[in-house]
Coordinates of all heavy atoms in Angstrom, one line a residue:
Chain A
G67 N -5.7 22.4 9.1 CA -6.6 23.2 8.3 C -8.1 22.8 8.4 O -8.9 23.1 7.6
L68 N -8.4 22.2 9.6 CA -9.8 21.8 9.8 C -10.5 22.7 10.9 O -11.6 22.5 11.3 CB -9.9 20.4 10.2 CG -9.5 19.3 9.3 CD1 -9.6 17.9 9.9 CD2 -10.2 19.4 8.0
G69 N -9.7 23.7 11.3 CA -10.2 24.6 12.3 C -11.4 25.6 11.9 O -11.8 25.5 10.7
P70 N -11.8 26.5 12.8 CA -12.9 27.3 12.4 C -12.5 28.6 11.7 O -13.3 29.4 11.4 CB -13.5 27.6 13.8 CG -12.3 27.6 14.7 CD -11.3 26.6 14.1
T71 N -11.2 28.9 11.5 CA -10.8 30.2 11.1 C -10.6 30.3 9.6 O -10.7 29.3 8.9 CB -9.5 30.7 11.8 OG1 -8.4 29.8 11.3 CG2 -9.6 30.6 13.3
S72 N -10.4 31.5 9.1 CA -10.5 31.7 7.7 C -9.4 31.1 6.9 O -9.5 30.8 5.7 CB -10.5 33.2 7.4 OG -9.4 33.9 8.1
D73 N -8.2 30.8 7.6 CA -7.1 30.1 6.9 C -7.3 28.6 6.9 O -6.4 27.9 6.4 CB -5.8 30.6 7.4 CG -5.6 30.4 8.8 OD1 -6.5 29.9 9.5 OD2 -4.5 30.6 9.3
D74 N -8.3 28.1 7.4 CA -8.6 26.6 7.5 C -9.4 26.2 6.3 O -10.6 26.2 6.3 CB -9.3 26.3 8.8 CG -8.4 26.5 10.0 OD1 -7.3 26.0 10.0 OD2 -8.9 27.1 11.0
I75 N -8.7 25.8 5.2 CA -9.4 25.5 4.0 C -9.2 24.1 3.4 O -9.4 23.8 2.3 CB -9.0 26.5 2.9 CG1 -7.5 26.3 2.6 CG2 -9.3 27.9 3.3 CD1 -7.1 26.8 1.2
T76 N -8.8 23.2 4.3 CA -8.5 21.8 3.8 C -9.8 21.1 3.3 O -9.7 20.4 2.3 CB -7.8 21.0 4.9 OG1 -6.6 21.6 5.3 CG2 -7.6 19.6 4.5
R77 N -10.9 21.3 4.0 CA -12.2 20.8 3.6 C -12.5 21.2 2.1 O -12.8 20.4 1.2 CB -13.3 21.2 4.5 CG -13.5 20.4 5.7 CD -14.5 21.1 6.6 NE -14.1 22.4 7.0 CZ -13.5 22.7 8.2 NH1 -13.3 21.7 9.0 NH2 -13.1 23.9 8.4
E78 N -12.4 22.5 1.9 CA -12.7 23.1 0.6 C -11.8 22.6 -0.5 O -12.2 22.2 -1.6 CB -12.7 24.6 0.7 CG -13.8 25.2 1.5 CD -13.5 25.1 3.0 OE1 -12.4 24.6 3.5 OE2 -14.4 25.5 3.8
A79 N -10.5 22.6 -0.2 CA -9.5 22.1 -1.2 C -9.7 20.7 -1.6 O -9.6 20.3 -2.7 CB -8.1 22.3 -0.6
T80 N -10.1 19.9 -0.6 CA -10.3 18.4 -0.8 C -11.5 18.2 -1.7 O -11.5 17.4 -2.7 CB -10.4 17.7 0.5 OG1 -9.3 17.9 1.3 CG2 -10.6 16.2 0.2
A81 N -12.6 18.9 -1.4 CA -13.8 18.8 -2.2 C -13.5 19.2 -3.7 O -13.9 18.6 -4.6 CB -14.9 19.7 -1.6
E82 N -12.7 20.2 -3.8 CA -12.3 20.7 -5.2 C -11.5 19.7 -5.9 O -11.8 19.3 -7.1 CB -11.5 22.0 -5.1 CG -11.4 22.7 -6.4 CD -10.6 24.0 -6.3 OE1 -10.5 24.6 -5.2 OE2 -9.9 24.4 -7.3
V83 N -10.5 19.1 -5.3 CA -9.6 18.1 -5.9 C -10.5 16.9 -6.3 O -10.3 16.3 -7.4 CB -8.5 17.7 -5.0 CG1 -7.8 16.4 -5.5 CG2 -7.5 18.8 -4.9
L84 N -11.4 16.5 -5.4 CA -12.1 15.3 -5.7 C -13.4 15.5 -6.5 O -14.1 14.6 -6.9 CB -12.5 14.6 -4.3 CG -11.4 14.2 -3.4 CD1 -11.9 13.5 -2.2 CD2 -10.3 13.4 -4.1
G85 N -13.6 16.8 -6.8 CA -14.8 17.1 -7.6 C -16.1 16.8 -6.9 O -17.1 16.3 -7.6
V86 N -16.2 17.0 -5.6 CA -17.5 16.7 -4.9 C -17.9 18.0 -4.2 O -17.1 18.9 -3.9 CB -17.4 15.5 -4.0 CG1 -17.2 14.2 -4.7 CG2 -16.3 15.8 -2.9
D87 N -19.2 18.0 -3.8 CA -19.7 19.2 -3.0 C -19.6 19.0 -1.5 O -19.5 17.9 -1.0 CB -21.2 19.4 -3.3 CG -21.4 19.8 -4.8 OD1 -20.6 20.5 -5.3 OD2 -22.5 19.5 -5.3
L88 N -19.6 20.1 -0.8 CA -19.6 20.1 0.7 C -21.0 20.3 1.2 O -21.7 21.1 0.6 CB -18.7 21.2 1.2 CG -17.2 21.0 1.1 CD1 -16.5 22.3 1.5 CD2 -16.7 19.9 1.9
I89 N -21.4 19.5 2.2 CA -22.7 19.7 2.8 C -22.5 19.7 4.3 O -21.5 19.2 4.8 CB -23.8 18.6 2.5 CG1 -23.2 17.3 2.7 CG2 -24.3 18.8 1.1 CD1 -24.2 16.2 2.8
E90 N -23.4 20.4 5.0 CA -23.4 20.3 6.5 C -23.8 19.0 7.0 O -24.9 18.5 6.6 CB -24.2 21.5 7.1 CG -24.1 21.6 8.6 CD -24.8 22.8 9.2 OE1 -24.4 23.9 8.8 OE2 -25.7 22.6 10.0
D91 N -23.0 18.3 7.7 CA -23.3 17.0 8.2 C -23.9 17.0 9.6 O -23.4 17.7 10.5 CB -22.0 16.1 8.2 CG -22.2 14.7 8.6 OD1 -22.5 13.9 7.7 OD2 -22.2 14.4 9.9
E92 N -25.0 16.3 9.7 CA -25.8 16.4 11.0 C -25.0 15.8 12.2 O -24.9 16.3 13.3 CB -27.1 15.6 10.9 CG -28.3 16.4 10.6 CD -29.5 15.6 10.7 OE1 -29.8 15.0 11.8 OE2 -30.2 15.5 9.7
A93 N -24.3 14.6 11.9 CA -23.6 14.0 13.0 C -22.4 14.9 13.4 O -22.1 15.0 14.6 CB -23.0 12.6 12.5
A94 N -21.8 15.5 12.4 CA -20.7 16.4 12.8 C -21.1 17.6 13.6 O -20.5 18.0 14.5 CB -20.0 16.9 11.5
M95 N -22.3 18.1 13.2 CA -22.9 19.2 14.0 C -23.2 18.8 15.4 O -22.9 19.5 16.3 CB -24.1 19.7 13.2 CG -24.6 21.0 13.7 SD -23.3 22.3 13.9 CE -23.8 23.4 12.6
R96 N -23.8 17.6 15.5 CA -24.1 17.1 16.9 C -22.8 17.0 17.7 O -22.8 17.3 18.9 CB -24.8 15.8 16.8 CG -26.3 15.9 16.6 CD -27.1 14.6 17.0 NE -26.5 13.5 16.3 CZ -26.9 13.1 15.1 NH1 -27.8 13.8 14.4 NH2 -26.4 12.0 14.5
S97 N -21.8 16.4 17.1 CA -20.5 16.2 17.8 C -19.9 17.6 18.3 O -19.4 17.7 19.4 CB -19.6 15.4 16.9 OG -18.2 15.7 17.2
L98 N -20.0 18.6 17.4 CA -19.5 19.9 17.7 C -20.3 20.5 18.9 O -19.7 21.0 19.9 CB -19.7 20.9 16.6 CG -18.6 21.0 15.6 CD1 -19.1 21.9 14.4 CD2 -17.4 21.7 16.2
E99 N -21.6 20.3 18.9 CA -22.5 20.9 19.9 C -22.2 20.2 21.2 O -22.1 20.8 22.3 CB -24.0 20.7 19.5 CG -24.4 21.8 18.5 CD -25.7 21.5 17.8 OE1 -26.3 20.4 18.0 OE2 -26.2 22.4 17.0
A100 N -22.0 18.8 21.2 CA -21.7 18.1 22.4 C -20.4 18.5 23.0 O -20.2 18.6 24.2 CB -21.6 16.6 22.1
F101 N -19.4 18.8 22.1 CA -18.1 19.2 22.7 C -18.2 20.5 23.5 O -17.7 20.7 24.6 CB -17.1 19.4 21.5 CG -15.7 19.8 22.0 CD1 -14.8 18.9 22.3 CD2 -15.4 21.2 22.0 CE1 -13.5 19.3 22.8 CE2 -14.1 21.6 22.5 CZ -13.2 20.6 22.8
F102 N -18.9 21.5 22.9 CA -19.1 22.8 23.6 C -20.0 22.6 24.9 O -19.7 23.2 25.9 CB -19.7 23.8 22.7 CG -18.7 24.4 21.7 CD1 -18.5 23.9 20.5 CD2 -17.8 25.4 22.2 CE1 -17.5 24.4 19.6 CE2 -16.9 25.9 21.3 CZ -16.7 25.4 20.1
A103 N -21.0 21.7 24.8 CA -21.8 21.5 26.0 C -20.9 20.9 27.1 O -21.1 21.3 28.3 CB -22.9 20.5 25.6
R104 N -20.0 20.0 26.8 CA -19.2 19.4 27.8 C -18.3 20.4 28.5 O -18.0 20.3 29.7 CB -18.3 18.3 27.2 CG -18.2 17.1 28.1 CD -17.8 15.8 27.4 NE -16.6 15.9 26.6 CZ -16.6 15.7 25.3 NH1 -17.7 15.4 24.7 NH2 -15.4 15.7 24.7
L105 N -17.9 21.4 27.8 CA -17.1 22.5 28.3 C -17.9 23.6 28.9 O -17.4 24.6 29.4 CB -16.2 23.1 27.2 CG -15.1 22.3 26.7 CD1 -14.3 23.1 25.6 CD2 -14.1 21.8 27.8
E106 N -19.3 23.4 28.8 CA -20.2 24.4 29.3 C -19.9 25.8 28.7 O -19.8 26.8 29.3 CB -20.1 24.5 30.9 CG -20.6 23.2 31.5 CD -20.4 23.2 33.0 OE1 -20.0 24.2 33.6 OE2 -20.7 22.1 33.6
K107 N -19.7 25.8 27.4 CA -19.4 27.0 26.6 C -20.4 27.1 25.5 O -21.0 26.1 25.0 CB -18.0 27.0 26.0 CG -16.9 27.2 27.1 CD -15.6 27.5 26.3 CE -14.5 27.8 27.4 NZ -13.2 27.7 26.8
T108 N -20.6 28.3 25.0 CA -21.4 28.5 23.8 C -20.6 28.4 22.5 O -19.5 28.9 22.5 CB -22.0 29.9 23.8 OG1 -22.5 30.2 25.2 CG2 -23.2 30.1 22.8
M109 N -21.2 27.7 21.5 CA -20.4 27.6 20.3 C -20.4 28.9 19.5 O -21.5 29.5 19.3 CB -21.1 26.4 19.5 CG -20.3 26.0 18.2 SD -20.9 24.5 17.5 CE -22.0 25.2 16.3
A110 N -19.3 29.3 19.0 CA -19.2 30.5 18.2 C -19.7 30.1 16.8 O -19.6 29.0 16.3 CB -17.7 31.0 18.1
P111 N -20.4 31.1 16.1 CA -20.9 30.8 14.8 C -19.9 30.3 13.8 O -20.2 29.5 12.9 CB -21.4 32.2 14.3 CG -21.7 33.0 15.6 CD -20.7 32.5 16.5
D112 N -18.6 30.8 13.9 CA -17.6 30.3 13.0 C -17.3 28.8 13.0 O -16.8 28.2 12.1 CB -16.2 31.0 13.3 CG -16.2 32.5 12.9 OD1 -17.0 32.8 12.1 OD2 -15.4 33.2 13.5
N113 N -17.7 28.2 14.2 CA -17.4 26.8 14.3 C -18.3 26.0 13.4 O -18.0 24.8 13.1 CB -17.6 26.3 15.8 CG -16.5 26.8 16.7 OD1 -16.6 27.8 17.4 ND2 -15.3 26.1 16.6
R114 N -19.4 26.5 12.9 CA -20.4 25.8 12.1 C -19.7 25.2 10.8 O -20.0 24.1 10.4 CB -21.5 26.7 11.6 CG -22.6 26.9 12.5 CD -23.8 27.5 11.8 NE -24.7 26.5 11.2 CZ -25.7 26.0 11.8 NH1 -26.0 26.3 13.1 NH2 -26.5 25.1 11.2
K115 N -18.7 26.0 10.3 CA -18.1 25.5 9.1 C -17.3 24.2 9.3 O -17.0 23.4 8.3 CB -17.2 26.5 8.4 CG -15.8 26.7 9.1 CD -15.0 27.8 8.3 CE -13.7 27.2 7.7 NZ -12.9 28.2 7.1
Q116 N -17.0 23.8 10.5 CA -16.3 22.6 10.8 C -17.2 21.4 10.6 O -16.7 20.3 10.6 CB -15.8 22.6 12.3 CG -14.8 23.7 12.5 CD -14.1 23.6 13.8 OE1 -14.7 24.0 14.8 NE2 -12.9 23.1 13.9
A117 N -18.5 21.6 10.5 CA -19.4 20.5 10.2 C -19.7 20.2 8.7 O -20.5 19.4 8.3 CB -20.8 20.7 10.9
Q118 N -19.0 21.0 7.9 CA -19.1 20.8 6.4 C -18.2 19.6 6.0 O -17.0 19.6 6.3 CB -18.5 22.1 5.7 CG -19.3 23.3 6.0 CD -20.5 23.5 5.0 OE1 -20.4 23.1 3.8 NE2 -21.6 24.0 5.5

Side-chain angles (χ1 to χ4, degrees):
Chain A
L68 298 177
T71 67
S72 49
D73 58 356
D74 291 312
I75 63 156
T76 301
R77 278 174 295 266
E78 293 76 4
T80 304
E82 192 184 333
V83 167
L84 304 184
V86 296
D87 291 329
L88 288 172
I89 49 162
E90 186 172 297
D91 183 87
E92 261 188 60
M95 191 50 111
R96 277 199 303 276
S97 151
L98 270 172
E99 286 166 350
F101 182 85
F102 282 96
R104 218 161 54 245
L105 291 181
E106 299 174 4
K107 286 193 177 165
T108 315
M109 189 170 92
D112 286 341
N113 287 101
R114 275 195 90 89
K115 76 178 242 187
Q116 297 187 281
Q118 296 273 324

